[in-house]
Amino acid sequence: MDKTMTLMVDGIEHTITADPTMPLLYALRNQIGKKGPKFGCGLAQCGACTVLHDGTAIRSCVMPVAAVTGNVRTLDGLGSADNPHPLQQAFIDEQAGQCEYCISGWIMTAAALLEKNPQRTDDEIREALAGLKCRCGTHMSILRAIRSAAKAMAS
Amino acid sequence: MNRSRETVRVQDGSINIARRDLLKGAAALLVAVSIPPAAMLTTREAAARVVTRTLNPAQLDTWLAVASDGGITAYWGKMDMGQGVDTAIAQIIAEELDVDVDRVAIISGDSALCPDQGGASGSTGVNRSGAAFRAAAAEARLALFEKASKQLALPVDALDAADGVVFVKAERARSVSYAELVSDHMFNTPINWNGRYGNSLALTTRAKPKDPKDYRIVGTSVPRKDLPGKILATTEYLHDVNVPGMLHGRMVRPPAAGAHVKQVDKASVESISGVRIVVHNDFVGVVAPSEWDAIRAARQLDVSWDESDAGFPTTSVDLFDWIRSATPARSLTELDDGDVETALNAASKRLTAEYEWPFQSHARMAPAAAVADVRDGEAVVWTDSQKPYDTGSGAKRLLETPINGRRIGGGEYSVRSIWMPGPGSYGRSDAGDGAMDAVVLSAAVGAPVRMQWMRNEGHAWDPKGPASVISCRAGFDDSGDVSAYHFHIKGFSRSDQNSRENQPGEVLAGHLLGHESTPEWTMQTPAESYRFANKRYTWDALAPLRKNASPLRTAHFRDPYGPEVHFASESFIDELAYANAVDPLEFRLRYVGDERDAAVLRAAAELAGWQKRTAPGRKRDSRGNYIGTGIACAQRNGSVNAVVAEVEVNPASGRIWVRRMFVGADHGLIVNPFTLDRVIEGNLLQATSRTLFEEVIFDRKMVRITDWLSYPILESLDAPLEIRINKINRPELDSRGAGEPTTRVTPPAIANAFFDATGVRLRRVPFTRERVKAALSGIQ
């Protein structure tokens, strides 16, 4: 049975009508038009769908829309061409990634980590990113970009 | 360069022609500068119209266009799958045409707009299509000079060009811009074309291309043009395509390989509104207006299957013994120098070893997706396949070729295929199969359908890299020289499915509809230059475990057969070295015949600080971990690479951590040093993942890898601490492919490092923790 719900996404309130058990990912992409979070597995195993929910990185592919109570931030809303988030700037400067399909997982997880505290050791960064997948194997440049963003955000 | 302070130019190499707002040029987004009028129509209209762009490869206008603001657009019949090849093409064009590289936009892989240059294939992007655009751009420059010469009433050699302007050398102020010279944005100039399409397409020019010593753009690290849009989430991927009236499709797969449909209970999905069921033979799919409803319907649809004929003759546990005793379908001797058997018999010392490599999955970041709009004799297919031209011709044949006396499309079709970016693709992945599923569904329901495979399909049903057993034998003469060497590989062909999805028998949907699969027997042997007096390479190819609709059907997977073959051959070379207490680097340098091979070996060794050794070091650190280094080297189609890997082995957990990698890389003329480093890094990490973690598990009924837990890949905690690459630039050569070659040297480097660390040889991939613990249990 479809329900009408409001979702706060990237600072804008959206009203959607959907099955309350439908994963947030489909609402974000199909009804709200976000491009950042992507379908990778639908099983919370890869992170391609990662968004922030009240500052915590969550897998939107398994989060039912009815369970969304707080502010959702997506890669789309993290920054813009005129005003990129320091992580986006760092990823662009480092040219981190290849196909970039996985990138929402890495950037949003790093955003949650660094916005809480940007002073992180390399081990802490690697641990926080455990579980995320990048099939193109661009972990080296992703880690470099996150370290660089951490420095920028700490200063 | 601080990109946040300047307008970030978003290079969107795709055209979503249903999204008119994108094309109106919003804010800081700049799409390809000269989008031809045809692309601004809706999908439906564009598909229905006669294509207004004439694709005649013998005409310069087919390749390059000049906009009224002087921007250059190139129409490229290949695509970038994430390695920055499009940026390299833009560099080549900008160099020849004397324009800023930011003024060159690339349109890729649209069959209505770009000639077929073979798609992303064989690591030929820079080498072949780069050469074609070098010629086209040089020809364009000459054409512009000839026009300027007439206009300025001066001979061509009195002129020069910079920043898209032709000027008089002696009088800089006298000039005319490219845009002014090219009326109606058309050159109306022929160019020499070799008459071939695909990877073999070549253009030659009357003009003289620039001398590499004068290069100002080629050879520099121009940033990738496509990246900002992807990181800012403004770029349209295939998955974002949304056309009017679009429905969502999902497939229903059998529980066992090759099972046949017995019955479909339509009432089982009655509760989901708007669901339509499509059944053709063993092809079962659902279509619904909402994506979530399609997902639920596919899960809920009650299908009963006949499994009496389903499954495989063996399992992944017994696979290698099965390979050993199977009768080959085809055998070949690829090389036979001298007389290996006689030399082996006469040898003072002999060595043999066997190596095993399993089936592996592309396991793309996301499983197959596509959008197809099949109506009224016309079809448009949006795909991220590496071979969009073949997706188009394959869709046409699938629609038109009768099966059971019927054409599923009901008539003849003209098909346009449009490539758009997707998750990384590493050969013939599931992309083409997903596109065909979308085509069949769309034809059935008479509406555009967006198809997305689910995760289990991406792992279980994608085409696989083949499994093999490799046997190496060698003999030494009295002076300790290798006098005989025989490399033999026995396993499955690497192309049960062609690298091109252009026939019904070459696509999963085709098999499910009832078309016969048409496997080919292709294998591979080592690509190296070792000079052994008597040398033989042979192979035995086996028939597929299951012919039609098989989740184990093989197709090209990054460096097809490269890692399998060189895991064995370069491990064996190491074994030969240690057998006579010779340092493995010294051993290779002694026998290597090509100077380029020797150069990369030395480069990698120097970066790594290679310590000479004649026996495994078995070093242990303070935590009880074994530490070791190993080296490997191989060629690939004119590229050559050597890698030194440093590993840390934890004997208690069985974990291997590849901590450092050092590369000597020779890819001919380097177009973009930065992106070259990156593509090498990607190869190294993906190949490390394949070596340490990846194996397709299957039982007698079915493939059992369905997600990232059952098919683990490398994660952040496994990433090395450091990768260093010494690139040797050879401007006297052409550019050699880099998308694949470092894949094949990685597994043996890791195996050889493990041997140095522990004194134990691992000869079966993947080097799982269980296998490592078992291998080390003898020495604990």
Side-chain angles (χ1 to χ4, degrees):
Chain A
M1 200 75 246
D2 283 0
K3 253 183 79 179
T4 300
M5 297 162 274
T6 52
L7 298 173
M8 192 65 165
V9 182
D10 295 326
I12 296 175
E13 197 176 81
H14 297 269
T15 304
I16 62 154
T17 302
D19 171 0
T21 69
M22 181 180 82
L24 172 62
L25 178 66
Y26 300 106
L28 291 174
R29 292 183 55 79
N30 298 341
Q31 277 136 313
I32 299 172
K34 297 293 178 183
K35 295 203 261 292
K38 301 196 201 304
F39 176 82
C41 67
L43 302 166
Q45 291 176 353
C46 76
C49 66
T50 305
V51 299
L52 301 190
H53 183 236
D54 283 340
T56 302
I58 59 133
R59 305 272 193 262
S60 66
C61 72
V62 297
M63 172 93 148
V65 275
V68 176
T69 51
N71 290 322
V72 176
R73 275 167 82 202
T74 70
L75 182 65
D76 309 57
L78 198 65
S80 64
D82 287 332
N83 191 20
H85 188 279
L87 274 162
Q88 289 172 315
Q89 187 61 60
F91 272 66
I92 290 169
D93 290 342
E94 179 59 37
Q95 295 194 60
Q98 293 246 288
C99 77
E100 309 295 329
Y101 194 90
C102 69
I103 221 65
S104 194
W106 300 90
I107 293 182
M108 300 313 286
T109 303
L113 179 75
L114 299 179
E115 282 179 0
K116 286 197 178 78
N117 175 8
Q119 317 252 24
R120 302 287 186 173
T121 65
D122 194 45
D123 280 347
E124 282 171 339
I125 291 173
R126 282 176 183 245
E127 289 275 354
L129 301 169
L132 296 175
K133 306 295 184 283
C134 167
R135 186 42 165 168
C136 293
T138 73
H139 306 70
M140 307 303 287
S141 62
I142 286 174
L143 287 168
R144 287 193 291 262
I146 292 173
R147 276 184 230 122
S148 164
K151 279 206 195 78
M153 288 167 74
S155 59
Chain B
M1 172 177 50
N2 189 339
R3 292 190 78 105
S4 68
R5 300 293 171 261
E6 65 184 64
T7 301
V8 177
R9 298 176 72 108
V10 175
Q11 171 69 45
D12 187 343
S14 66
I15 306 167
N16 184 344
I17 53 187
R19 293 286 301 273
R20 298 187 190 205
D21 52 337
L22 182 69
L23 297 169
K24 281 179 194 144
L29 302 179
L30 278 165
V31 197
V33 172
S34 45
I35 300 172
M40 295 189 176
L41 303 168
T42 63
T43 354
R44 212 49 206 112
E45 290 164 24
R49 265 167 94 93
V50 170
V51 170
T52 56
R53 268 210 110 224
T54 315
L55 291 189
N56 179 356
Q59 282 293 319
L60 191 55
D61 290 311
T62 292
W63 299 103
L64 295 169
V66 180
S68 41
D69 67 354
I72 309 292
T73 300
Y75 295 90
W76 189 36
K78 284 181 175 291
M79 309 81 58
D80 180 60
M81 310 307 287
Q83 284 78 47
V85 180
D86 55 341
T87 300
I89 300 298
Q91 286 176 256
I92 288 169
I93 292 168
E95 187 78 71
E96 296 299 328
L97 259 179
D98 289 316
V99 296
D100 192 292
V101 69
D102 279 345
R103 310 251 50 219
V104 180
I106 313 269
I107 292 183
S108 317
D110 182 330
S111 67
L113 302 176
C114 315
D116 178 3
Q117 287 178 280
S121 166
S123 296
T124 58
V126 176
N127 178 271
R128 303 264 180 91
S129 66
F133 275 105
R134 179 170 287 119
E139 186 73 37
R141 185 181 185 275
L142 179 57
L144 289 161
F145 271 49
E146 286 169 345
K147 290 180 204 290
S149 161
K150 285 200 187 76
Q151 193 164 316
L152 299 168
L154 283 168
V156 161
D157 56 17
L159 307 173
D160 202 347
D163 296 325
V165 170
V166 183
F167 59 87
V168 178
K169 285 187 213 175
E171 201 186 326
R172 191 82 202 228
R174 280 189 73 203
S175 66
V176 59
S177 74
Y178 290 178
E180 290 170 305
L181 287 167
V182 184
S183 70
D184 294 327
H185 320 302
M186 303 279 280
F187 285 95
N188 289 316
T189 306
I191 182 162
N192 261 325
W193 167 49
N194 69 343
R196 300 171 73 176
Y197 284 104
N199 287 342
S200 308
L201 191 152
L203 303 173
T204 48
T205 173
R206 307 171 284 146
K208 198 166 171 298
K210 301 250 165 111
D211 189 324
K213 67 168 168 46
D214 297 327
Y215 281 166
R216 289 170 305 138
I217 303 171
V218 169
T220 66
S221 295
V222 170
R224 275 173 60 186
K225 301 158 81 65
D226 65 309
L227 271 187
K230 290 169 179 169
I231 289 165
L232 294 166
T234 52
T235 294
E236 210 98 18
Y237 278 73
L238 166 67
H239 307 70
D240 304 305
V241 168
N242 191 352
V243 302
M246 188 173 84
L247 304 173
H248 292 267
R250 289 295 188 278
M251 295 298 293
V252 178
R253 301 290 178 194
H260 298 297
V261 171
K262 269 202 316 219
Q263 193 165 336
V264 177
D265 178 10
K266 300 191 180 205
S268 61
V269 293
E270 254 166 17
S271 60
I272 303 173
S273 73
V275 169
R276 295 164 69 176
I277 301 162
V278 177
V279 183
H280 286 302
N281 198 21
D282 294 327
F283 180 105
V284 181
V286 297
V287 175
S290 113
E291 183 166 20
W292 180 236
D293 282 346
I295 293 170
R296 292 195 301 125
R299 287 182 184 151
Q300 204 168 300
L301 185 68
D302 191 358
V303 183
S304 54
W305 300 88
D306 172 6
E307 298 183 36
S308 57
D309 181 39
F312 306 110
T314 187
T315 71
S316 51
V317 172
D318 302 318
L319 176 62
F320 300 112
D321 286 339
W322 195 92
I323 289 174
R324 285 186 184 91
S325 52
T327 307
R330 186 172 171 211
S331 301
L332 198 75
T333 299
E334 274 208 14
L335 179 77
D336 203 357
D337 284 349
D339 184 345
V340 164
E341 294 310 315
T342 303
L344 270 176
N345 287 335
S348 303
K349 182 151 77 171
R350 278 176 282 274
L351 200 67
T352 62
E354 268 195 354
Y355 304 87
E356 294 161 332
W357 190 282
F359 286 100
Q360 294 185 324
S361 165
H362 283 248
R364 299 173 78 195
M365 190 66 204
V371 179
D373 182 1
V374 180
R375 284 180 282 177
D376 308 328
E378 279 156 3
V380 183
V381 183
W382 288 262
T383 176
D384 64 340
S385 165
Q386 290 183 210
K387 306 281 168 69
Y389 298 93
D390 294 301
T391 316
S393 56
K396 181 176 164 66
R397 290 194 184 101
L398 193 64
L399 289 165
E400 292 178 359
T401 308
I403 189 79
N404 300 327
R406 229 189 106 231
R407 293 165 133 174
I408 59 155
E412 300 208 339
Y413 279 83
S414 64
V415 181
R416 175 179 181 176
S417 53
I418 300 173
W419 179 84
M420 294 188 69
S425 177
Y426 317 103
R428 167 93 198 261
S429 69
D430 53 9
D433 289 323
M436 298 308 158
D437 288 345
V439 164
V440 174
L441 290 179
S442 178
V445 301
V449 172
R450 180 185 184 277
M451 155 61 66
Q452 170 77 67
W453 283 16
M454 301 304 278
R455 188 66 252 171
N456 64 309
E457 293 172 272
H459 274 103
W461 288 97
D462 76 341
K464 305 294 187 284
S468 59
V469 174
I470 295 163
S471 325
C472 296
R473 304 185 297 152
F476 297 95
D477 63 21
D478 290 330
S479 46
D481 284 334
V482 176
S483 56
Y485 174 89
H486 178 207
F487 174 97
H488 177 69
I489 180 168
K490 184 178 186 190
F492 298 94
S493 163
R494 69 184 211 200
S495 39
D496 291 344
Q497 272 187 281
N498 207 313
S499 66
R500 300 162 65 192
E501 56 258 31
N502 57 3
Q503 297 287 350
E506 299 294 347
V507 297
L508 183 61
H511 302 173
L512 296 170
L513 291 173
H515 295 279
E516 279 296 303
S517 166
T518 48
E520 288 168 13
W521 316 117
T522 34
M523 296 186 81
Q524 192 132 310
T525 51
E528 36 79 348
S529 67
Y530 298 119
R531 286 186 292 220
F532 302 136
N534 301 283
K535 201 176 178 188
R536 191 154 101 237
Y537 294 162
T538 55
W539 56 253
D540 285 327
L542 305 178
L545 288 176
R546 173 147 212 115
K547 188 162 171 261
N548 285 343
S550 172
L552 285 177
R553 69 198 183 287
T554 62
H556 285 179
F557 176 28
R558 199 174 206 168
D559 193 12
Y561 257 124
E564 296 88 327
V565 163
H566 298 87
F567 162 59
S569 66
E570 280 293 286
S571 290
F572 192 62
I573 291 293
D574 230 53
E575 298 201 48
L576 294 181
Y578 283 115
N580 282 345
V582 177
D583 170 74
L585 170 64
E586 187 188 311
F587 185 88
R588 287 172 169 82
L589 288 172
R590 185 186 300 175
Y591 288 105
V592 122
D594 282 355
E595 183 45 44
R596 288 175 68 207
D597 297 16
V600 296
L601 277 164
R602 291 193 187 98
E606 192 186 304
L607 267 184
W610 182 264
Q611 301 287 319
K612 178 170 160 158
R613 82 289 299 267
T614 56
R618 295 197 183 93
K619 283 201 232 6
R620 291 188 87 152
D621 69 11
S622 54
R623 288 165 298 153
N625 294 322
Y626 292 95
I627 313 291
T629 56
I631 193 165
C633 174
Q635 303 170 345
R636 189 182 197 280
N637 290 348
S639 305
V640 61
N641 294 277
V643 169
V644 173
E646 176 191 295
V647 303
E648 175 190 288
V649 183
N650 182 324
S653 67
R655 181 197 184 218
I656 298 173
W657 180 31
V658 181
R659 292 201 309 202
R660 295 187 167 82
M661 303 181 89
F662 304 94
V663 184
D666 176 349
H667 297 268
L669 166 73
I670 297 174
V671 175
N672 189 318
F674 193 89
T675 56
L676 178 55
D677 275 344
R678 290 310 167 74
V679 72
I680 290 172
E681 279 183 358
N683 267 276
L684 294 174
L685 262 63
Q686 193 183 76
T688 296
S689 180
R690 290 172 72 177
T691 305
L692 298 182
F693 305 118
E694 299 181 34
E695 175 175 5
V696 174
I697 307 295
F698 61 98
D699 58 29
R700 294 294 299 262
K701 278 284 160 200
M702 182 55 193
V703 167
R704 298 301 177 192
I705 55 161
T706 55
D707 63 6
W708 296 113
L709 295 180
S710 45
Y711 194 83
I713 62 171
L714 188 139
E715 296 186 7
S716 61
L717 290 168
D718 311 302
L721 289 172
E722 172 182 33
I723 293 180
R724 291 176 58 203
I725 303 169
N726 183 341
K727 299 180 294 297
I728 300 171
N729 191 17
R730 296 199 186 270
E732 71 277 13
L733 301 176
D734 54 356
S735 301
R736 305 291 164 85
E740 294 169 282
T742 33
T743 286
R744 57 183 46 184
V745 287
T746 303
I750 296 172
N752 295 339
F754 186 88
F755 181 74
D756 177 46
T758 64
V760 174
R761 273 283 157 199
L762 293 175
R763 298 197 184 91
R764 178 170 171 184
V765 160
F767 302 161
T768 63
R769 293 187 183 213
E770 275 53 53
R771 291 198 187 124
V772 169
K773 281 193 284 195
L776 295 182
S777 62
I779 67 165
Q780 282 295 74

